[in-house]
Amino acid sequence: MIYDQSEFDLRCEWGAQGVFQLACISDVVIIVDVLSFSTCVEIANNNGAIIFPYAYRDESVIDYAKSLQAELASHRQRWTTSGYSLSPKSVEQIPAGTRLVLPSPNGSFLTLHTGNTPTLAGCLRNCQAVAEFAQKYGDKIAVIPAGERWKDDGSLRPAFEDLIGAGAIISYLRGSLSPEAEAAVAAFQAFQQDLLGYLKKCSSGKELIEKGFESDVELAAAFNVSDCVPLLTNNAYVNSSYRVN
């Protein structure tokens, strides 16, 4: 097919259509949602928590969390010491073993549409570890920058931070690159000397800072500080180091 980049080992495409085109023909899929789903999952998994993605923010998520005997993350609010949300800062001290349902229209939605293809969550914090782990599954790797949603119509807004995050991961992968994957790597290399500065200046970063979440941007911009690889197992992200074979 024209759009599936199948002649290349390393593929990169945006959002839901990217998952649709690439997941079924790839050995592994990496979901990249830097601000903030993937960053939130990495921090929580690194602490030993179990994260259940949920695609929708409606009342059905309450029953889903109850069915799993799990806590439910709220909409992102100004961070306090109580409750969890999509704010990475909110899960920084989450206890090991915590079961948390994390609704997200981007990272969670994409995660739950990868079918039977092994799925990882990648961000700037764990880009090298995720890349190295992904290559254990095979040579055909799909990296999916999630993007954001425009508030007026819900359509995809390609997001600077996710392109940079995708490029960071791809830069550690071996294999032939599609032009889309090459573009992501080039973007990462152009901005890697000041990731925090550029994340604070991009649209998503400015939005979070305006709402009082500058610390989340700082956590998301930390580069290669973690070897935690969130692996989707039985509809939940777990630290791959803890996986029971």
Side-chain angles (χ1 to χ4, degrees):
M1 293 176 63
I2 292 174
Y3 300 106
D4 65 10
Q5 305 173 36
S6 58
E7 64 268 46
F8 304 100
D9 297 327
L10 310 179
R11 304 93 180 248
C12 182
E13 191 53 85
W14 287 96
Q17 281 298 318
V19 170
F20 175 76
Q21 295 287 340
L22 304 184
C24 61
I25 62 162
S26 298
D27 297 319
V28 59
V29 175
I30 304 171
I31 303 297
V32 184
D33 187 352
V34 171
L35 293 174
S36 295
F37 175 81
S38 297
T39 299
C40 197
V41 172
E42 181 278 315
I43 292 174
N45 277 178
N46 205 16
N47 284 352
I50 302 164
I51 301 298
F52 295 87
Y54 198 76
Y56 305 104
R57 290 174 174 168
D58 57 24
E59 291 188 1
S60 66
V61 72
I62 299 173
D63 291 333
Y64 182 65
K66 288 180 180 177
S67 74
L68 297 169
Q69 297 183 311
E71 297 187 51
L72 175 59
S74 66
H75 293 292
R76 192 194 221 115
Q77 301 165 353
R78 184 175 293 274
W79 182 74
T80 66
T81 56
S82 61
Y84 303 117
S85 72
L86 267 174
S87 162
K89 185 70 174 177
S90 77
V91 298
E92 219 177 0
Q93 303 298 326
I94 192 170
T98 302
R99 296 162 63 84
L100 181 67
V101 174
L102 192 61
S104 159
N106 301 309
S108 283
F109 182 88
L110 299 180
T111 293
L112 297 172
H113 286 80
T114 58
N116 294 322
T117 306
T119 301
L120 312 175
C123 59
L124 289 168
R125 297 173 61 87
N126 66 354
C127 51
Q128 183 173 357
V130 164
E132 292 174 354
F133 192 87
Q135 303 237 230
K136 297 178 181 179
Y137 287 99
D139 298 326
K140 308 299 184 184
I141 299 174
V143 182
I144 308 294
E148 295 292 335
R149 306 285 184 98
W150 287 109
K151 289 182 171 55
D152 54 354
D153 64 1
S155 61
L156 174 70
R157 174 173 71 79
F160 169 86
E161 67 276 7
D162 294 341
L163 181 63
I164 299 304
I169 293 167
I170 297 168
S171 72
Y172 289 101
L173 292 170
R174 302 180 305 277
S176 59
L177 281 73
S178 70
E180 292 84 354
E182 282 197 49
V185 173
F188 164 67
Q189 291 174 340
F191 298 105
Q192 70 180 111
Q193 297 305 315
D194 188 14
L195 291 172
L196 177 57
Y198 283 107
L199 256 63
K200 285 183 174 181
K201 289 187 286 188
C202 75
S203 296
S204 301
K206 288 190 296 182
E207 179 183 25
L208 291 181
I209 291 169
E210 183 178 294
K211 293 179 178 179
F213 293 103
E214 185 168 355
S215 60
D216 284 347
V217 181
E218 293 168 351
L219 286 169
F223 180 62
N224 265 344
V225 296
S226 172
D227 59 3
C228 172
V229 178
L231 171 66
L232 191 67
T233 305
N234 297 324
N235 292 321
Y237 277 115
V238 298
N239 187 336
S240 60
S241 298
Y242 302 157
R243 184 183 182 185
V244 178
N245 293 315

